[in-house]
Amino acid sequence: MSEAKKKAAASAIVDSVESLDALFVTVRAAQQQYASFTQEQVDAIFRAAALAANHARIPLAKMAVEETGMGVVEDKVIKNNYAAEHIYNHYKNTKTCGVIEEDKEFGIMKIAEPIGIIAAVIPTTNPTSTAIFKCLMALKTRNGIIISPHPRAKASTIEAARIVKEAAEKAGAPAGLIGWIDVPSLELTNTVMKEADIILATGGPGMVKSAYSSGTPAIGVGAGNAAAVIDSSADIVNAVSSIILSKTFDNGMICATEQTIIACKDVYDAVKAELIKRGCYFLNDEEKDKLRKTMLINGALNAKIVGQRPCIIAKLAGFEVPEDVKVIIGEAESTGVEEAFAHEKLTTILGMYKAENFEDAMDKAEQLLVNAGGLGHTSSLWIDNVKERAKIDAFAERMKTCRILVNTPSSLGGIGDLYNFKFPPSMTLGCGSWGGNSVSENVGVKHLLNVKTVAERRENMLWFRTPEKVYFKKGCLPVALDELKNVMNKKRCFVVTDSFLYKNGFTKVITDKLTEMGIAYTVFSDVEPDPTLRSAQLGAEAMRKFEPDCIIALGGGSAMDAGKIMWVLYEHPEADFLDMAMRFIDIRKRVYTFPKMGEKAYFIAIPTSSGTGSEVTPFAVITDQETGTKYPLADYELLPDMAIVDTDLMMSAPKGLTSASGYDAMVHALEAYASVMATDYTDGLAIRAMQLIFRYLPTAYEDGTNVKAREKMATASTMAGMAFANAFLGVCHSMAHKLGAYHHLPHGVANALLLTIVMRFNACEKPRKMGVFSQYQYPHTLERYVECAEACGVTGKDDQEIFENFLQKLEDLKAAVGIKKTIKDYGIDEKVFLEKLDQMSEDAFDDQCTGANPRYPLISEIKEMYLEAYYGEKK
Amino acid sequence: MSMQSFRMPEKLYFKQGCLPVALQELVDVYQVQRVLILTDEVMLHNGRLAPLTGALYDMGLDYAVNSESFAADCVIGFGFAQALDRAAAFAGDKPFIAVPVSAGGQMSIPAWRKADMFILDEDVCVPIPAGEICSHIAQTARASLAGANVSDYTLALSVQALRILFDKAHTTSALLHAAAMAQLAYTTARSDEVPTDNLFEDAAEALGMSVTELENQINSAVTAQHT
Ligand SMILES: NC(=O)c1ccc[n+]([C@@H]2O[C@H](COP(=O)([O-])OP(=O)(O)OC[C@H]3O[C@@H](n4cnc5c(N)ncnc54)[C@H](O)[C@@H]3O)[C@@H](O)[C@H]2O)c1
Ligand SMILES: [Fe+2]
């Protein structure tokens, strides 16, 4: 279209689909230009337009009343002023252009973009103020707007739009940004809704419905039907005058206006007397019936009574009331759909109900919403807001309305900013899904913008945590315990261990020392291997009786884990065990907030085997004796306060325990190193642990009396524990947990049988799925394993060869410490193994250790690995 | 020697931008309301305090800076070694949070020893030339390998620090962590007693080099800044 044609189109009368199409072209061109305006330019235009509209508030009010024959000039002046001035003040500093929010630290930025062209449907009840409001909203958000006026209010609506348009253009807005239909018709309204980019529809339910059915995204708002509940505690004088003020405002045409009063029985008469005193008229039965017939015609509101004064309404109904009556009131009992007084009236008529009590008042308010309309819109409550908080809460919970106003005239209160200054001002009030709307708030600029979020990749915060104190060196136990008396002044100590260790005198060093220091103690020695919840509960019970201020857990993983669980149950008897056992990926984002530990007792862990690392980890594994399910608990609250690693306690460990737990420590180090959550701190510890295990595990296994080998293994196991306490484990442990549980293999052995197969799986440079963690950028597990290999003295001509040699070295270590090659070698029946395989694979996939593995496994891949570990070759 | 120990701050948090995230624990875990910040005089004027005070403000906590009469229920030391030394001494039984700005250089040893939470955020650190950081790592690691309380724990940390230092492709951010690890090792390993053990040989072996090679590499890193 040529410039000249465009101009002609812009000034042409819009009365047909063709002229409307031409208008769209003009508005769109203007909007595209406007879309690049800066916040500063936009704000200047917004300001100029608001000023102009405010300036014209009186002529516009007069015009609206004259044209529609509804409402009150003075009140419409206030509405126009509100739509211009309050809206301006509320949004003048709001950012709506370009970057509206930025947080560099968290790497997030929000960018506001206009939507395009708004189709604005304007009602007869508030023609000029709604037009001003929507045009200003469009200007502030860099949108174009085409107004579809109501036929009965078109002149005043268009005039309001024209004033805003001219002021905006004078202030620099592109010409033609604001347009309207001159001769409205259903066809044109439907066309404008179809062609626009978003619909902002205010009006009756029929119109809102057609907006939502147009196929264009729509913000439509529903009908109101506010009931004002007056509680016995209310300030009646204030309530009555406020309701009258609200109800008479523009002759009751704001959608949030009170339509009924529900007063509690004990104050009903007082409310009624006050209403009469302040100029309300109570209808007799005959008048009520006449009015009912006039109000609703075939169930629809009679447009003639809308926005009228009582004397005029009475005349229409065929009776008389004095000129100065403010509101006509019909007392009613039924809250059903057939009762006209129950409906929205948009005029100076109120229905009034008597409630037995507050509960009944809420029932009635609810019935009115459901039966007579207004769901999602507004509710009002008059009450003593200091003493009756509980009732306010109950009311807020019960009402399915998006505005719940307390001690506030609902018409002026509902549109916001007048009686509550945090409540955004709007002439378009969303009613949520209850009202069939897409918005449940007062519609504002944010609903007219497309907001883009630019989220940059950020890495998670990392951490390194260990017990506050770790003591080690052969013979350190009694020395370390000195602190209990000297520094901590502990009085009562509870020792947890298993029966074997107790019977063989392992606890004697501790109890002798406690006696020497004069600390009272008791020993609980009923921990079984793979401790059950039942035994932990028994222990916690004993703790509650003994009331220790210090707990010492002595033993292998089983006793230390049992001690940790008893500690939780002792400190927090109310804690829900199943909640705590929830799976996690990031320990700090757990759904369950772990109870805070250490308020009652200080926790010391003393290992007697070298492997689990439990003395320095925030984990504990516990078995439910009923179902056999193993629950891994994980939270840094479970981290012991002190760990004492004394080699004296490990000298007698039998060969099987030494090899299985020693190999477990190797797997801890390797999985922590390959984990997606590995850090430099965990890497350093893990590598040292591997070096020590390769060097000293065979000796510790062959010659248990070799102090240096035992000592180095103890250190290696604790260091590997520190590494996986912070970097977590991987799928080898996931699979070992389930293999151990299904086929009763020792934990360390189960791990050893799977390790090299899992490593080969992880080392793949083209994994089907890679692990998810922000720090983990690309599959590099092969490189990581090669780093370990080289630190352990493995050589080769390239990475692949070094890796293969490393796997061989790990297999050699296995053989050297008497661990067999395959699962089959441990005498597990092939048929039984295959029967359980599918379930075992699925369970292993779901194990919490899977989350930190560098390669995200498929269940089928886990199954393949199990098969390979069973037969010793790929199947 | 009948007993050795490895001491760590209860919580060490790190990674660029972690300060506000870690501080969230003040509310979530420690439940404090009034925070005393002890910092160096220069910090009052150079704007470096803003990320800290901004985070406290966002969490709705009351705070005061360098005003020891403020009735605080938590102490944050923010700054160079001197301010952190002072904060560590002042904290008493209150939760003590250390936020050094000198990662890569000399950090407060009392802060490492006493902090409940130690926060290493590169965003708040004062930039130090890479050569200086390298030299610092080399010196600290060497000192910690010869400390009286050396152990496999401190060895693991100082060797890892050296591993990063010797890696030609290291980033500045990796160097900062290496420096922190070396410091951590040194803080534990160092003791006023005369060294009884020397883990130089073990360290060399762990790094896959000879003792002479290790010494040479350390020496050249120490002096690198002067060339
Ligand atoms: N919390 C963790 O981080 C973690 C890590 C790995 C494993 N675990 C758990 O630890 C448990 C396995 O622990 P474990 O391997 O230490 O076995 P364990 O604690 O069950 O001990 C095995 C047996 O060895 C005996 N024993 C222990 N020390 C001995 C010694 N010095 N001399 C002679 N006998 C000794 C015990 O009395 C017991 O009969 C499993 O329940 C496993 O789930 C926990
Ligand atoms: Fe394990």
Side-chain angles (χ1 to χ4, degrees), chain A residues 664 668 729 733 747 751:
Chain A
D664 187 24
H668 293 162
L729 295 166
H733 263 78
H747 175 74
N751 268 300

Side-chain angles (χ1 to χ4, degrees), chain A residues 515-527:
Chain A
T515 309
E516 180 198 312
M517 294 188 294
I519 295 177
Y521 67 84
T522 182
V523 179
F524 179 92
S525 61
D526 286 342
V527 175

Side-chain angles (χ1 to χ4, degrees), chain A residues 224-225 335-337 339 341-344 366-375:
Chain A
N225 190 19
T335 51
V337 64
E339 172 55 83
F341 285 102
H343 288 251
E344 183 184 35
E366 199 168 45
Q367 288 156 17
L368 285 171
L369 288 173
V370 173
N371 299 336
L375 264 178

